Amino acid sequence: MRNARTKFILIQFIFNLEEINKRHITTSREVNVVHQKKPLSSPLVSSNLVRARPDWFLRSVNNFRLSTTSLSILLTMNPSLSLLFLLSFLLLFSSAVSFQSDELLLNDNDEFEGARSSPGPASVTPPVRRRPDLDISSASDSKSVQFSLEHSLGDSEFSVAGTFTARLKSWTHGGQTLTKLRFTRNAISDAEKGLFERLLKDDDFYTIRIPSNVLNPSGKDYVLSSVRARCLPRESLDEHFVIHTDGVNVLAVNYGSYGGCHYPRPLKSPSKWSFSSYTVLKNSEQAPRTPTFVEQIIASETALEEGLQPPEKSFWAKYWMYILPLGFVIMNAMAQAMNAAGEDQNQGGQPSQRAPAVRRR
Amino acid sequence: MEARFLLGFLLLLSLSSFAFSIYEDQVGLADWHKRYIGKVKHAVFHTQKTGRRRVVVSTEENAIASLDLRTGDIFWRHVLGKNDVVDQIGLSLGKYVLTLSSQGSVLRAWNLPDGQMVWETDLQISNPSNSFLHVLGNVKSGRDSLSLVCNGGSIRAVSSIDGLVVWKNDLSIDGLKLKHVFQPPESDTIYAIGFIDSSQIALYHINAKTGELLKHATQASSVDLSSETSAISSDSLVVLDSSRSNLLLIKFTAGIITYHKLPLSDIVQDFSGLAELIPTKSNDIFVVKTPSGVAFKKVKGDNELELIGKADQAGIVSDSLTLSEEEQAFAVVHHSNNAISFQVRINGREVLTEGIKIEGHRGHVKRVFLNNYVRTDKSHGFRALIVMDDESLLLMQQGEVVWSREDGLASISDAVVAELPVEREGVSVVEVEHTLLEWLKGHMLKLKGTLMLATPDDMAAIQAMHLKSSERNKMTRDHNGFRKLIIVLTRSGKVYALHTGDGRIVWAHLLTPLLQSERCPSPSVLTLRNWRVPHRKALQENPSILLVGRCGAGSESHGFHLIIDSYSGKELETQILDHSIAEVVPLPLADSSEQKLHLVIDDKLNAHLYPRSSDSLEVFIREMSNMYYYKVENAKGFIKGYAFKKGCSTGSSAYCFGTRELWSVVFPSDSERIVATARRKINEVVHTQAKIMTNQDVMYKYISKNILFVATVSPKATGGIGSTAPDEAWLVAYLIDTVTGRILHRVTHQGAQGPVHAVVSENWVVYHYFNLRAHRYEMTVIEIYDQSRADNKDVMKLVLGKHNLTTPITSYSRPEIATKSQSYFFTHSVKAIAVTTTARGITSKQILIGTIGDQVLALDKRYLDPRRTANPSQEEKEEGIIPLTDTLPIVPQSYVTHTLQVGDLRGIMSFPANLESTTHVFSYGVDLFYTRIAPSRTYDSLTDEFSYVLLLITVVVLIVAILVTWAMSKKKDLQEKWR
């Protein structure tokens, strides 16, 4: 009983902790949006420099909050555990104060921007398609490419809504891949806002598209994706891109809201008419190799043995479990009938010796 | 103690289900196997000398079979497979059947009595083209006789005894196509006639013993010679020109070629349209078939023609049958409603006319093969093999159909399942067939069988009794759902209803003549679906089937739909649609009379709703915002998803809806080609969402009806196995949500290539492909689990109502999924793959694999578990996890087809019975095979061999024993009291 209560308290603490985390995320999102709304012409490096500070700042703040909660937990803990917590707290704090470089690293393998502060780490694998043995340092050349995101509000024509900027890496083995994707959304015009409001009212689709070949965007092939407009509004319009690439080709873009979007979708207007975007770049995973065994022969032998069917059982061996209870029931019934008859006979006389014996059984 | 017992019991249980197999005497109890051959295209009769009358046929399913002419039974049969098309068959030496296949490159000899292959010769033809086989009767070098295979401009002479190429002669002339080879009697010279570039006639004299070219002559011709030819005598030839309106009579006398051009309008009265030349053999007779009739002509002198007979109606004409030097017989068959008139003409003279009644569902006559026999009065008698529209084969003799074979069933293209009628009270369906004596006898036999006293004869009798027992063949629904109708559609457009009890044909209908009209010139049925499945409201209505097809060959031609009653096959409604048909999408909705809603997508991507009633429209519009449609364009390499919207582009019909593109996935054409797609069955039932792990943890299955599995391979790997290096081959497997186009999972297999076969069920997909690095076939399983529900295992949350189990699932939420995957080697290549389905989805699953040997293997899904580890812990073993092996075991007992083969296996279908443990399996190819299997054994019913008699005897014995002991104890009591 007492154990359960302490458990409940713990759960509550963890719950608090989660809430704090969430709050932190929402604030950090806003920060991101502010920077993404910067005009496109601003050089990449400088924007990155500006970004770095609030990120670092928030992380330290977050750590501090974590530590305060862990302190409060400490009070309910036994000494050995609390020591452990204290240690981890110290570690956390020390990392928070340590120097954070704001240098722009060209070759970091961070392929998603904006989703950096997201809670669930998106599963991102390095581009290993067809070249499983390559490493990052073998990149000989990298240049920047831009391609536009177009959107359609309801049945309207597609119009440019934002720009993706990515680094194109050429490998010495031949072939190119996209890395370091950045996304800038254009501000929503009043006309678009009107259209979007109508979409929200009709629960219609908001459609976006990206050229399937980013090097040659004039091609006719686009990858499309749509979402019910009512899925997007939170505080602002939260959108989440997952771009599946294969080399320089975009296979598909998955577009949707950040969180869930369950069926009776209520009409909700965002408090802020701007998009907050998260983009993730995804490459194909490699299938693990089929395991091979030396002792395969032995295994197959045992499998065969297992596969051998047991010898055919006789009628009794198969169905004894049905017949035995039936026999008992009948015997019981007969015994009772006999008993009744016996009692009838022995009425007033000496009780039978057998009857109690049967009853005992 | 108890725990140990439980453990042992569990182990026993897990072991016992490893072996799914049946005993020898159970064969044929639940299963049936039917053998067919397909649509006959060549027939060679073998009726001389031997006592057994037989005909050797080759079919469009590439089967070669020897049939009994008296009964139509198959003596032997070989299915060559779809890559080995039979070009021609012939007899040689009176004991071998020669087949020329694969565009004239493979020649095989089969032993006539038993069908064993005697020899096979690869003729190594560089550019296979239209080739023909000529068996020479006269060339005798010892006991041998030569067979000539002509292919384009080359001739090969093959010895009939051992298949060695005796000589070959490549008449290296570009554009030469040999058309005819003949050898005058008692001559060592072979004459080969051909055309060079369709404009020159060429004649070659070749030594029959050595193949040496003796002489040749060419002659330019003024007309284009690319059409049919017919050799009418040893030195003359009749050719139709390419416009099919002129005849050319070519003569070769003493090495000089002369020809005469004869306009057909001069030869045949009222000639119009296109003519056909029926192949004949010598005798100066040729047969011209025109749309208005058939004319028999004899050549007299140099270029005079004489009309020796004509048939006014155009009918089907058989090839010529040589009766003697002078006489040639032809069969001409006309069709008039429900009867055919069969004429035999010798040298154009009518000698025999018979009228024969034929069932209406067979359609018209397609082909006739004529054969003669000697009657008791020494005159000529004639019999004919007739191939009908529905691909069935009939033998006609003396004005009667002697036997018929439903060979259309060899080309099933689609199948659905329908229920049988409910047995109503007062209507006894079974006839009273058992007298009391028979009944007693039967039970005595059964008793003997159970007590293992039966002799083999008795066992056979028991089995026959089992087979005869009417219970499985009743025409009514049974409680267990074992009796059903399998409704199949064949390539010829015929629909058959087969009874699951014994595979007999309950009804059959050929649909194409029903539909043929001016608006619908050449109807072809594409698919069939369940239209009405009687359910709650419409229980009294008969179930019905929807058939959808096209009126022409192109995808833009008009469609039609047809509804037939599934009890009787009666046509209920026919409609020629004013739009084309690209796809039929069955919806999980039904209107008030339980007719299922279907969307027909046309080539302009409009959706048309059927049935057309305000009721169905209402049902559809209510759900329209939640309907999505996707289309896979294999050739263009993309998948697109659509939503429906009101108002379509072509008309203003209320039942027509437009589509709007929502998403697209574009596979780069330089690195990926779509080779396979698979999705879950629309009516599959999943029993539980949760899967309990060994450590009492719960995993939630990601169950979505909208998962599409797509496999792509690199463009270089689309060829055959071995055509590409492992470095250039890869296979990418995708799991795509078809509502949003979201790629849920993507995985690349390096060094792998197709063909890919896949099956999707519940939350997993199993696919089969070739691994070039390991030089073996592989099967991979991917299981998908829903992580967003993972916290639901907290009991506290469940109590407090904080779980999200009741929240609706939507594709628009970002899925948090986890996948588990494992690959295993598999020995066989696979022709088809399916999974067992049961009524409630509780029973464990088996994967049904159509192997290269045309058998169906039931592989337990537990072998394809991604959680298998090399050394499973005790708990895992208890759960039934099998130790990891790199290869999937093939247990011989797990072949559901036991010893039988389903020739040229193309599809496997599994559908549930009412009994949860049992599922029906129907596999089809050239043969049909049906059985019932219980993947986890029949845990919910007593098995067939349960002996009720023995149970009764046991009960009786027990009662008697109790009575006796009771009496004895009373007696004892009494004695004790007297003491």
Side-chain angles (χ1 to χ4, degrees), chain A residues 129 226 228 261 284 290-291 338, chain B residues 625 662 730 748 810 886 966:
Chain A
R129 177 90 192 254
S226 307
R228 294 267 178 194
C261 181
S284 181
T290 314
M338 209 170 69
Chain B
S625 65
L662 286 188
W730 58 86
T748 308
T810 168
D886 59 352
W966 180 62

Side-chain angles (χ1 to χ4, degrees), chain B residues 356-375:
Chain B
I356 297 148
K357 266 205 161 326
I358 279 191
E359 295 114 306
H361 64 78
R362 296 198 188 280
H364 289 243
V365 177
K366 275 268 154 138
R367 287 192 190 116
V368 183
F369 302 96
L370 186 67
N371 177 234
N372 68 313
Y373 61 93
V374 181
R375 286 214 194 112

Side-chain angles (χ1 to χ4, degrees), chain B residues 299-602:
Chain B
V299 181
K300 283 197 160 181
D302 270 352
N303 52 0
E304 278 177 41
L305 296 180
E306 187 194 359
L307 184 71
I308 52 169
K310 64 173 186 175
D312 287 335
Q313 288 166 294
I316 306 291
V317 185
S318 72
D319 289 3
S320 71
L321 175 77
T322 310
L323 298 176
S324 66
E325 285 286 303
E326 293 300 311
E327 286 180 314
Q328 276 204 73
F330 297 89
V332 184
V333 181
H334 303 291
H335 203 278
S336 56
N337 40 353
N338 280 354
I340 56 172
S341 87
F342 172 69
Q343 276 183 9
V344 178
R345 288 164 177 263
I346 297 177
N347 289 356
R349 181 168 42 84
E350 192 177 321
V351 291
L352 177 78
T353 306
E354 287 164 348
I356 297 148
K357 266 205 161 326
I358 279 191
E359 295 114 306
H361 64 78
R362 296 198 188 280
H364 289 243
V365 177
K366 275 268 154 138
R367 287 192 190 116
V368 183
F369 302 96
L370 186 67
N371 177 234
N372 68 313
Y373 61 93
V374 181
R375 286 214 194 112
T376 41
D377 59 354
K378 299 276 162 69
S379 63
H380 283 299
F382 294 95
R383 58 165 89 93
L385 269 185
I386 296 183
V387 182
M388 305 294 290
D389 257 348
D390 67 344
E391 306 186 355
S392 62
L393 185 68
L394 314 174
L395 183 82
M396 282 189 346
Q397 192 175 327
Q398 294 156 342
E400 270 180 64
V401 175
V402 183
W403 51 259
S404 61
R405 295 179 53 87
E406 289 288 350
D407 280 312
L409 282 170
S411 58
I412 290 176
S413 60
D414 206 351
V416 294
V417 182
E419 293 285 349
L420 281 160
V422 185
E423 193 169 0
R424 293 202 179 82
E425 269 179 49
V427 186
S428 169
V429 184
V430 234
E431 65 274 52
V432 184
E433 52 181 344
H434 288 308
T435 62
L436 191 66
L437 196 72
E438 270 179 33
W439 185 84
L440 265 177
K441 241 189 211 166
H443 276 280
M444 277 302 289
L445 269 176
K446 269 190 193 168
L447 187 64
K448 266 169 107 179
T450 332
L451 298 172
M452 295 179 197
L453 298 168
T455 59
D457 284 349
D458 286 345
M459 292 306 280
I462 291 168
Q463 204 168 328
M465 216 166 57
H466 274 307
L467 282 175
K468 247 193 350 198
S469 67
S470 59
E471 190 60 28
R472 60 181 276 207
N473 296 331
K474 265 194 209 169
M475 278 302 294
T476 54
R477 217 173 283 181
D478 65 332
H479 181 69
N480 289 337
F482 287 172
R483 294 197 295 264
K484 280 179 196 269
L485 285 179
I486 304 171
I487 297 177
V488 298
L489 172 71
T490 64
R491 189 181 49 199
S492 58
K494 196 175 186 179
V495 180
Y496 295 86
L498 307 174
H499 195 287
T500 55
D502 53 358
R504 69 174 186 276
I505 296 164
V506 178
W507 52 260
H509 279 278
L510 186 65
L511 300 169
T512 37
L514 276 178
L515 292 153
Q516 209 141 23
S517 65
E518 265 177 46
R519 280 192 66 196
C520 203
S522 57
S524 63
V525 190
L526 294 175
T527 180
L528 80 169
R529 297 265 189 264
N530 281 318
W531 176 253
R532 173 188 278 153
V533 179
H535 208 55
R536 302 181 298 269
K537 291 174 225 160
L539 211 58
Q540 295 307 311
E541 304 265 2
N542 286 5
S544 49
I545 300 290
L546 167 78
L547 291 129
V548 182
R550 277 188 199 130
C551 283
S555 62
E556 70 289 335
S557 52
H558 286 299
F560 62 81
H561 83 179
L562 206 130
I563 295 160
I564 54 173
D565 185 295
S566 47
Y567 291 165
S568 62
K570 265 193 216 109
E571 173 204 356
L572 301 175
E573 188 190 328
T574 312
Q575 201 181 356
I576 292 173
L577 312 175
D578 51 3
H579 55 82
S580 59
I581 288 182
E583 204 176 336
V584 184
V585 184
L587 302 179
L589 303 171
D591 68 359
S592 57
S593 60
E594 288 298 326
Q595 298 186 63
K596 290 199 170 179
L597 265 55
H598 286 77
L599 279 180
V600 174
I601 314 284
D602 67 12

Side-chain angles (χ1 to χ4, degrees), chain A residues 135-179:
Chain A
D135 66 40
I136 291 140
S137 60
S138 69
S140 62
D141 178 36
S142 69
K143 61 173 184 179
S144 157
V145 283
Q146 282 194 349
F147 52 97
S148 58
L149 169 91
E150 296 175 36
H151 69 174
S152 151
L153 297 142
D155 289 331
S156 70
E157 288 292 307
F158 281 95
S159 56
V160 176
T163 312
F164 284 99
T165 314
R167 291 253 142 205
L168 186 69
K169 271 186 189 165
S170 301
W171 306 97
T172 44
H173 302 261
Q176 295 166 309
T177 47
L178 292 174
T179 52

Side-chain angles (χ1 to χ4, degrees), chain B residues 813-830:
Chain B
S813 294
R814 203 163 57 97
E816 294 169 39
I817 58 162
T819 55
K820 284 173 183 260
S821 173
Q822 183 69 267
S823 301
Y824 301 96
F825 293 122
F826 188 67
T827 318
H828 288 306
S829 68
V830 163

Side-chain angles (χ1 to χ4, degrees), chain A residues 123 285-286 288, chain B residues 699-700 702 707 733-735 743-747 763-765 781-787 816-822 866-867:
Chain A
S123 66
E285 283 173 39
Q286 285 293 323
Chain B
M699 295 277 275
Y700 285 89
Y702 183 79
I707 288 184
Y734 294 88
L735 291 169
I743 296 179
L744 299 170
H745 185 63
R746 171 158 73 134
V747 66
N763 67 327
W764 50 262
V765 53
V781 57
I782 303 176
E783 287 188 0
I784 318 153
Y785 292 98
D786 192 350
Q787 292 295 90
E816 294 169 39
I817 58 162
T819 55
K820 284 173 183 260
S821 173
Q822 183 69 267
R867 289 164 56 228

Side-chain angles (χ1 to χ4, degrees), chain A residues 8 11 15 18 120 122 128-132 152-155 199 203-208 212 221-228 231 240 242-246 249-265 282-296 299-300 303-304 306-316 318-319 322-323 326-328 330-332 334-335 337-339 341 345-346 352 354, chain B residues 12 15-16 18-19 21-23 450 452 622 624-628 638 640 643 645 660-668 670-672 727 730 732 734 740-750 769 771 773-774 776 778 794 796 800 802 807-814 819 821-825 863 870 882-887 889-893 937 942-943 945-948 950-951 954-955 958-959 962-963 965-966 969-970 973 977:
Chain A
F8 186 62
I11 287 163
F15 193 69
E18 271 175 10
V128 281
R129 177 90 192 254
R130 263 165 290 158
R131 291 164 301 274
S152 151
L153 297 142
D155 289 331
L199 283 188
D203 193 19
D204 210 344
F205 292 101
Y206 175 68
T207 310
I208 56 132
S212 71
D221 279 347
Y222 286 94
V223 289
L224 265 84
S225 191
S226 307
V227 73
R228 294 267 178 194
C231 290
H240 187 264
V242 182
I243 298 174
H244 294 265
T245 60
D246 171 46
N249 294 302
V250 177
L251 284 174
V253 55
N254 299 150
Y255 180 71
S257 64
Y258 199 82
C261 181
H262 299 303
Y263 173 56
R265 293 177 281 265
K282 261 193 182 173
N283 264 295
S284 181
E285 283 173 39
Q286 285 293 323
R289 298 196 60 168
T290 314
T292 38
F293 295 119
V294 189
E295 64 269 28
Q296 182 211 345
S300 68
L304 245 170
E306 281 164 344
L308 276 179
Q309 53 187 46
E312 192 184 351
K313 285 179 282 186
S314 68
F315 178 83
W316 272 104
K318 265 187 193 170
Y319 300 110
Y322 304 117
I323 293 164
L326 198 82
F328 271 117
I330 289 168
M331 264 164 71
N332 247 349
M334 292 305 294
M338 209 170 69
N339 234 358
Q345 264 184 6
N346 295 332
S352 163
R354 283 176 62 89
Chain B
L12 199 81
L15 283 178
S16 64
F18 267 86
S21 59
I22 55 171
Y23 297 105
T450 332
M452 295 179 197
R622 206 183 317 139
M624 192 171 76
S625 65
N626 287 330
M627 297 264 184
Y628 301 89
F638 59 74
K640 286 188 172 175
K645 61 179 183 189
R660 177 182 159 184
E661 191 179 330
L662 286 188
W663 56 266
S664 61
V665 176
V666 181
F667 299 106
D670 56 337
S671 65
E672 291 180 40
D727 289 339
W730 58 86
V732 193
Y734 294 88
T740 56
R742 205 182 281 277
I743 296 179
L744 299 170
H745 185 63
R746 171 158 73 134
V747 66
T748 308
H749 296 267
Q750 289 293 337
Y769 54 90
N771 185 336
R773 292 222 166 95
R776 279 196 268 184
E778 248 179 38
D794 196 334
M796 216 55 207
L800 295 171
K802 281 190 176 165
T807 49
I809 297 169
T810 168
S811 290
Y812 286 115
S813 294
R814 203 163 57 97
T819 55
S821 173
Q822 183 69 267
S823 301
Y824 301 96
F825 293 122
Y863 286 111
I882 304 159
L884 183 66
T885 51
D886 59 352
T887 311
I890 293 170
V891 184
Q893 287 98 326
R937 321 246 288 184
L942 292 170
T943 51
E945 75 257 39
F946 181 82
S947 172
Y948 292 94
L950 204 59
L951 179 71
T954 317
V955 171
L958 270 173
I959 290 171
I962 287 164
L963 285 176
T965 45
W966 180 62
S969 76
K970 262 193 110 176
D973 271 356
K977 277 180 190 154

Side-chain angles (χ1 to χ4, degrees), chain B residues 35-37 40 42-46 50 52-59 63-79 89 91 95-97 99 110-116 385 393 403 405:
Chain B
R35 297 177 83 200
Y36 297 101
I37 51 174
V40 172
H42 303 112
V44 179
F45 292 88
H46 183 75
T50 43
R52 285 171 130 185
R53 306 271 179 243
R54 61 176 79 216
V55 57
V56 180
V57 294
S58 77
T59 69
I64 309 156
S66 167
L67 303 178
D68 189 337
L69 267 183
R70 296 194 200 285
T71 59
D73 293 342
I74 299 173
F75 282 129
W76 53 263
R77 187 198 69 183
H78 296 284
V79 183
I89 59 173
L91 289 180
K95 58 180 181 182
Y96 295 152
V97 182
T99 60
W110 314 85
N111 194 13
L112 192 52
D114 56 7
Q116 282 187 358
L385 269 185
L393 185 68
W403 51 259
R405 295 179 53 87

